Amino acid sequence: MPDAEDVRRIALSLPDTTEKIAWSMPTFRVAGKMFATLPEEETSIAVRCPKEERDELVMAEPGKFWIADHEAQFAWVRARLTALEGEDELRDILADSWRQAAPTRLLDAYPELGLPTGE
């Protein structure tokens, strides 16, 4: 089961990522643009997610994903760390959020982190 240190290690392994405390919680940014946070005593993560996909995730796996009231109008979703299937799922979630925030120059420089193919 992943924990906050796994989130931190994986997020900071992504290119041009930094950690910054904002709103009294760790946030992770690519090229200065936020793509993940560690709210709720670091037992969950908040990540970027298109609203349509976010709603489908929450309906399909409500024990894993939810939408915080104050983030409902934004394209963000929360995930409970204890509900994740392991480090691979955490890595996929963080990389997907990173791709949504990363500038084109980084997506071009790191094609292995680019948009998933065949999905």
Side-chain angles (χ1 to χ4, degrees):
M1 163 179 59
D3 62 17
E5 286 310 309
D6 295 320
V7 171
R8 188 168 278 109
R9 178 177 46 79
I10 292 168
L12 291 173
S13 75
L14 296 166
D16 204 10
T17 295
T18 57
E19 181 176 353
K20 178 181 177 182
I21 299 297
W23 307 288
S24 301
M25 70 180 131
T27 67
F28 300 91
R29 299 161 188 262
V30 55
K33 196 170 181 182
M34 191 166 46
F35 72 92
T37 68
L38 268 168
E40 275 83 45
E41 283 106 33
E42 300 186 359
T43 60
S44 68
I45 55 173
V47 293
R48 291 174 173 267
C49 185
K51 286 184 181 180
E52 306 77 35
E53 291 177 30
R54 171 189 78 174
D55 295 342
E56 289 175 19
L57 281 173
V58 171
M59 285 179 28
E61 298 184 80
K64 185 182 292 187
F65 297 104
W66 87 98
I67 302 165
D69 290 341
H70 68 280
E71 294 169 345
Q73 71 271 27
F74 303 108
W76 284 77
V77 69
R78 302 277 180 110
R80 291 172 181 83
L81 293 176
T82 58
L84 297 181
E85 295 172 17
E87 201 170 294
D88 287 344
E89 184 177 24
L90 175 60
R91 183 177 289 107
D92 289 346
I93 290 169
L94 288 170
D96 185 58
S97 188
W98 180 91
R99 283 192 293 273
Q100 292 176 59
T104 304
R105 68 175 172 80
L106 284 176
L107 295 174
D108 290 344
Y110 297 92
E112 71 278 9
L113 292 171
L115 297 176
T117 58
E119 290 185 10

